[in-house]
Amino acid sequence: MFRVPFLVALSLVIAFGGGIVSTLVALEATSGFGSIKIGAWDAFPESQTIEADPYAKAHRADAGKLLYGTAEGLAFTAAMDSGGQRLTGQCRYTLSGNLPPARFWTLYIADQQGNLLDDGSGRPIALNSRNLLHGPQGGVSVTLSATATPLNWLAVPPAGNFKLVLTLLDTPIAGSTGLIDITMPAIEKTDCSHA
């Protein structure tokens, strides 16, 4: 007597539960389509435009972060070094090379969701184009490590993985299709504490 309603209720729970779980898994797996990969860096130029795919729009709604217009800015993220290994606080890295042209840029250490990793210690977790010390040839050279180093240094967590987020503001590459022609700084592993 209760078998049919029980089977219908079970089918609905499986259908709705499976749909919700698969949607959450799909949203965690990607930030959308149309990514541009340059070296270790990824960007999603259309994620903040009207042409954004549904996954990018869902990420945008979930994150609640400031969005840039097409020609205002472009955010690049790197979760791997130039050798394809995941960035971890147990290793020391050097970020070096030239940055694409931009009126202003920021670089910060983030967690896997892209949120600023601030442990409240006061150690530097962000740099920008106004407070970076440039070398004699221009370009950038930044050490990423859990222990302090002279010159340009960003503090990473002593354990666990992290991401780098480089945001270029008022840059000509944000509104053009010339993204493939630019070069991004390399992220080279110099040593690891567990090796």
Side-chain angles (χ1 to χ4, degrees):
M1 174 177 186
F2 293 109
R3 183 176 179 206
V4 172
F6 173 74
L7 291 176
V8 169
L10 181 64
S11 299
L12 289 174
V13 166
I14 290 171
F16 284 116
I20 290 170
V21 168
S22 67
T23 301
L24 292 174
V25 167
L27 287 176
E28 287 297 318
T30 179
S31 294
F33 302 104
S35 73
I36 303 286
K37 183 157 182 69
I38 304 169
W41 301 90
D42 289 316
F44 293 88
E46 293 183 1
S47 67
Q48 301 178 49
T49 66
I50 193 117
E51 291 88 19
D53 62 87
Y55 291 104
K57 289 179 181 178
H59 271 280
R60 198 168 63 192
D62 184 46
K65 294 181 180 172
L66 178 65
L67 301 177
Y68 308 111
T70 304
E72 291 177 333
L74 186 59
F76 287 89
T77 60
M80 309 276 189
D81 62 20
S82 295
Q85 301 293 319
R86 186 164 288 282
L87 296 174
T88 176
Q90 296 173 336
C91 296
R92 179 187 305 262
Y93 302 90
T94 301
L95 182 138
S96 60
N98 291 317
L99 291 169
R103 187 176 302 256
F104 186 77
W105 57 262
T106 62
L107 174 69
Y108 66 88
I109 305 294
D111 62 15
Q112 295 305 309
Q113 288 74 38
N115 301 314
L116 187 68
L117 260 178
D118 188 4
D119 60 2
S121 66
R123 300 181 329 148
I125 54 170
L127 286 171
N128 62 53
S129 55
R130 309 270 162 126
N131 65 7
L132 179 85
L133 299 172
H134 290 276
Q137 278 78 30
V140 298
S141 180
V142 179
T143 302
L144 312 167
S145 72
T147 57
T149 61
L151 303 177
N152 297 317
W153 167 58
L154 286 180
V156 301
N161 298 327
F162 65 91
K163 281 185 178 181
L164 289 173
V165 179
L166 173 66
T167 306
L168 305 171
L169 299 168
D170 196 11
T171 176
I173 64 167
S176 72
T177 57
L179 284 173
I180 306 303
D181 298 334
I182 66 171
T183 58
M184 296 294 289
I187 307 166
E188 300 292 338
K189 184 187 302 183
T190 55
D191 61 57
C192 291
S193 60
H194 60 74

